[in-house]
């Protein structure tokens, strides 16, 4: 039987596209799916030049693969991953490798690594970003697991990943669940930036009165500036789409009840466990939750009214305010990674993470080049806002974001991402915070003690 270099379980759109991408680069690839229709779709999409084989049989699939076998799971997170693993394990041999390419919660990855290690198998958690198009033509990939086993995967992953300046947007990130953890924080940053862009859209539409054409043109123009990024780019494309049925801009008839798959929530929950402050990402998660209370919002819009105060801003204020807030979102996510690295002993390299996020992934943006250089220059940098260049970028734009926040508050336009970003910046740059009062209050009602600024030790006071 012919031996295939790599296998993929799950031949949905993502699985098929990534499999065909690998085949494009000269590798013989096998695919497994229990749905014969998806196996047939793979056969129909493959070209004569591609060495591709699909099957619905676990046994046939495993027997087709060259040893040590390398198998990528592209199935929904949770029980489907465990089910796929359970079906494969009895057929595999010591030294074989299973890679989970879904958005699995990182503690699940740690559990699976331990369970499969007892079977003599290697398990990787690998975040994949870029969507369907990225999978087909070059994603950003974030693998973590056994470093020696990664050598089997490295040539394949580097050949199919997106390239920036000839450099592949994939690298070994660290041990254990490092790959899934980095992807989780990537998605948290994604939540924050998407919320921020939606607020920009709202301020320009409701506040400045921009029509649909001017809104679309503004985002398209911004994508030619330092704001260039995938999310700004697709915003211009989305705003330009007309509804096939009505001919109206489709965005105006899309429901404002937002959905989520949980990765943003996981980012916020874990950040609280680590005591890593990420207020803009937290706000983005909360706003998606708030959007679901549509009936209450409709009633509140009639009862809790505000006529709006006078105020003015221009497009430059919004543009530079957005850039300021966007930088703080990346700063929060990257600092969470730095804190998690110490807590979980991943061995993360933040310069490498910024490097592989420059292309292929959803949060790719021009500013990531600056982040990479900042970490190359100072690998122990605790927060990118302390880098001289990035700090200067923030200082040069803080007047703009203060104007945006003031304007939104005066108009009654919700801008939680903008407001959280500015508050985070002001808190981070404050030599003294009012939390000394919090400590005193805690000691008053709970005898929780406090520290003093003039001498060492912990203290308790009978305040009354």
């Amino acid at each position: 039987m012919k031996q295939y270099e790599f296998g993929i379980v799950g031949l949905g759109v993502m699985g098929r596209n990534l499999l065909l991408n690998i085949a494009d680069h000269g590798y013989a690839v096998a695919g497994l799916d229990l749905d014969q229709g998806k196996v047939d779709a793979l056969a129909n999409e493959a070209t004569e030049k591609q060495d591709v084989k699909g099957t619905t049989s676990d046994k046939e699939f495993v027997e087709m693969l060259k040893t040590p076998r390398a198998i990528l799971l592209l199935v929904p997170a949770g029980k489907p991953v465990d089910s796929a693993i359970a079906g494969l394990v009895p057929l595999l041999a010591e030294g074989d490798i299973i890679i989970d390419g879904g958005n699995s919660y990182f503690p699940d990855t740690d559990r699976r690594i331990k369970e499969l290690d007892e079977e003599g198998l290697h398990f990787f958690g690998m975040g994949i970003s870029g969507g369907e198009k990225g999978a087909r033509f070059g994603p950003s990939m974030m693998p973590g697991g056994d470093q020696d086993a990664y050598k089997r995967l490295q040539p394949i992953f580097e050949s199919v990943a997106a390239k920036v300046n000839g450099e592949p947007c994939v690298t070994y990130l660290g041990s254990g669940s490092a790959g899934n953890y980095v992807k989780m924080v990537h998605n948290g940053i994604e939540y924050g930036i998407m919320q921020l862009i939606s607020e920009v859209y709202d301020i320009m539409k409701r506040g400045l009165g921009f029509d649909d054409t001017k809104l679309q043109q503004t985002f398209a123009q911004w994508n030619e500036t330092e704001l260039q990024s995938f999310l700004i780019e697709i915003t211009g494309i989305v705003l330009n789409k007309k509804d096939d049925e009505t001919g109206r801009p489709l965005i105006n008839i899309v429901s404002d009840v937002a959905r989520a798959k949980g990765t943003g929530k996981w980012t916020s929950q874990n950040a609280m466990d680590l005591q890593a402050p990420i207020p803009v990402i937290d706000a983005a998660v909360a706003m998606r939750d708030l959007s679901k209370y549509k009936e209450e919002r409709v009633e509140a819009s009639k009862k809790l009214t505000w006529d709006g105060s006078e105020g003015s801003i221009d497009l430059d204020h919004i543009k530079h305010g957005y850039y300021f807030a966007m930088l703080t979102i990346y700063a929060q996510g990257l600092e969470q990674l730095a804190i998690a690295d110490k807590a979980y002993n991943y061995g993360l390299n933040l310069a490498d993470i910024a490097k592989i996020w420059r292309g292929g992934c959803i949060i790719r943006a021009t500013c990531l080049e600056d982040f990479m250089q900042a970490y190359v220059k100072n690998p122990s940098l605790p927060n990118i806002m302390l880098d001289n260049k990035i700090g200067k970028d923030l200082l040069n734009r803080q007047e703009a974001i203060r104007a945006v926040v003031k304007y939104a508050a005066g108009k009654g336009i919700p801008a939680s991402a903008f407001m959280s970003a500015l508050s985070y910046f002001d808190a981070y740059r404050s030599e003294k915070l009012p939390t000394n009062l919090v400590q005193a209050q805690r000691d008053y009602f709970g005898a929780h003690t406090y520290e003093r600024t003039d001498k060492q030790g912990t203290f308790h006071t009978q305040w009354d």
Side-chain angles (χ1 to χ4, degrees):
M1 182 179 289
K2 178 178 175 61
Q3 295 289 284
Y4 289 80
E5 187 74 18
F6 193 82
I8 291 182
V9 176
L11 299 178
V13 176
M14 279 289 290
R16 290 201 307 276
N17 280 347
L18 189 58
L19 189 147
L20 294 172
N21 183 2
I22 297 171
D24 281 344
H25 289 82
Y27 293 97
V29 197
L32 169 68
D33 201 293
L34 301 181
D35 184 342
Q36 183 64 51
K38 291 179 180 177
V39 174
D40 294 340
L42 172 65
N44 292 334
E45 291 177 30
T47 67
E48 292 181 1
K49 295 180 181 180
Q50 294 172 318
D51 198 349
V52 171
K53 173 76 171 178
T55 180
T56 58
S57 166
D58 289 15
K59 186 173 184 296
E60 181 185 10
F61 171 73
V62 170
E63 289 176 349
M64 284 194 290
L65 297 175
K66 171 185 172 182
T67 58
R69 299 174 181 88
I71 300 171
L72 173 65
L73 309 181
L74 279 172
V75 299
K79 291 182 179 179
V81 175
D82 289 318
S83 177
I85 292 171
L88 291 171
V89 167
L91 304 171
L92 299 179
E94 185 173 350
D96 289 348
I97 305 166
I98 298 177
I99 311 112
D100 176 13
N103 285 326
S104 289
Y105 192 31
F106 74 95
D108 289 337
T109 301
D110 287 323
R111 169 180 58 81
R112 290 165 184 148
I113 289 172
K114 183 178 179 181
E115 291 172 351
L116 292 180
D117 183 62
E118 294 172 357
E119 302 285 344
L121 303 172
H122 300 290
F123 186 78
F124 274 77
M126 182 171 74
I128 302 175
S129 181
E132 299 170 13
K133 188 174 181 181
R136 185 66 184 86
F137 300 107
S140 174
M141 298 186 287
M142 300 156 241
D146 182 87
Q147 190 165 15
D148 289 334
Y150 181 68
K151 295 173 184 176
R152 165 75 169 83
L153 311 171
Q154 186 174 355
I156 299 173
F157 290 168
E158 289 185 352
S159 66
V160 303
K163 308 293 189 301
V164 175
N165 301 326
E167 298 173 314
C169 293
V170 61
T171 191
Y172 173 79
L173 291 178
S175 61
S177 57
N180 283 130
Y181 191 92
V182 170
K183 180 55 164 47
M184 178 188 77
V185 174
H186 164 288
N187 286 18
I189 293 171
E190 178 185 307
Y191 270 60
I193 295 174
M194 291 173 71
Q195 175 62 32
L196 184 64
I197 291 174
S198 74
E199 292 175 9
V200 168
Y201 163 79
D202 199 20
I203 290 169
M204 290 194 295
K205 188 178 180 73
R206 271 206 281 176
L208 300 186
F210 283 12
D211 61 21
D212 295 310
T213 300
K214 190 166 184 178
L215 284 166
Q216 187 276 326
Q217 291 174 345
T218 299
F219 282 104
Q221 290 165 2
W222 280 2
N223 200 48
E224 303 298 322
T225 70
E226 72 274 20
L227 270 58
Q228 192 282 323
S229 67
F230 176 74
L231 288 171
I232 288 288
E233 176 187 351
I234 67 166
T235 301
I237 295 171
V238 164
L239 294 177
N240 200 41
K241 180 68 175 176
K242 298 293 190 294
D243 177 39
D244 292 337
E245 296 181 15
T246 65
R248 297 166 53 197
L250 182 57
I251 189 64
N252 293 335
I253 48 179
V254 172
S255 167
D256 67 344
V257 177
R259 306 298 180 193
K261 291 189 174 180
T263 47
K265 178 186 71 175
W266 294 342
T267 307
S268 288
Q269 288 174 332
N270 179 253
M272 291 181 185
D273 291 339
L274 297 175
Q275 299 180 9
I278 55 166
V280 185
I281 296 171
D282 294 339
V285 175
M287 289 303 291
R288 289 202 193 186
D289 292 340
L290 182 57
S291 76
K292 296 177 176 65
Y293 294 87
K294 179 70 174 181
E295 292 183 5
E296 293 179 38
R297 290 191 289 113
V298 170
E299 183 178 359
S301 70
K302 300 170 183 175
K303 293 183 176 180
L304 308 177
T305 58
W306 169 251
D307 293 333
S309 62
E310 292 298 322
S312 65
I313 52 172
D314 58 32
L315 200 51
D316 277 346
H317 285 124
I318 302 174
K319 175 185 176 183
H320 293 302
Y322 168 81
Y323 193 79
F324 179 107
M326 179 191 65
L327 290 180
T328 72
I329 295 170
Y330 281 108
Q332 291 165 47
L334 289 164
E335 185 169 33
Q336 181 174 350
L337 289 176
I339 294 169
D341 185 46
K342 295 176 182 176
Y344 304 132
N345 298 312
Y346 284 142
L348 300 179
N349 182 315
L350 294 183
D352 283 346
I353 293 171
K355 179 180 177 181
I356 67 172
W357 283 353
R358 292 178 304 163
C361 73
I362 303 301
I363 63 170
R364 63 183 183 264
T366 300
C367 62
L368 281 156
E369 187 72 35
D370 292 336
F371 300 163
M372 183 185 74
Q373 296 302 329
Y375 287 120
V376 167
K377 186 168 53 180
N378 183 2
S380 60
L381 189 68
N383 189 305
I384 59 167
M385 296 196 301
L386 296 176
D387 175 74
N388 289 338
K389 182 185 185 307
I390 295 166
K392 186 177 180 181
D393 286 342
L394 289 165
L395 292 176
N396 289 340
R397 292 168 171 82
Q398 65 172 317
E399 181 181 352
I401 193 171
R402 294 183 194 283
V404 171
V405 167
K406 181 179 178 181
Y407 178 81
K411 287 287 187 179
I413 298 173
S416 59
F418 275 108
M419 293 176 181
S420 297
L422 180 58
S423 181
Y424 170 77
F425 173 80
D426 282 337
Y428 192 77
R429 68 180 189 86
S430 293
E431 182 180 353
K432 297 187 71 173
L433 289 170
T435 37
N436 57 327
L437 179 56
V438 173
Q439 285 296 87
Q441 291 169 329
R442 292 179 70 246
D443 190 55
Y444 181 100
F445 65 70
H448 294 300
T449 74
Y450 58 92
E451 294 81 34
R452 296 173 62 105
T453 60
D454 57 353
K455 55 185 175 181
Q456 296 293 315
T458 55
F459 302 88
H460 169 59
T461 294
Q462 294 294 334
W463 294 90
D464 57 355

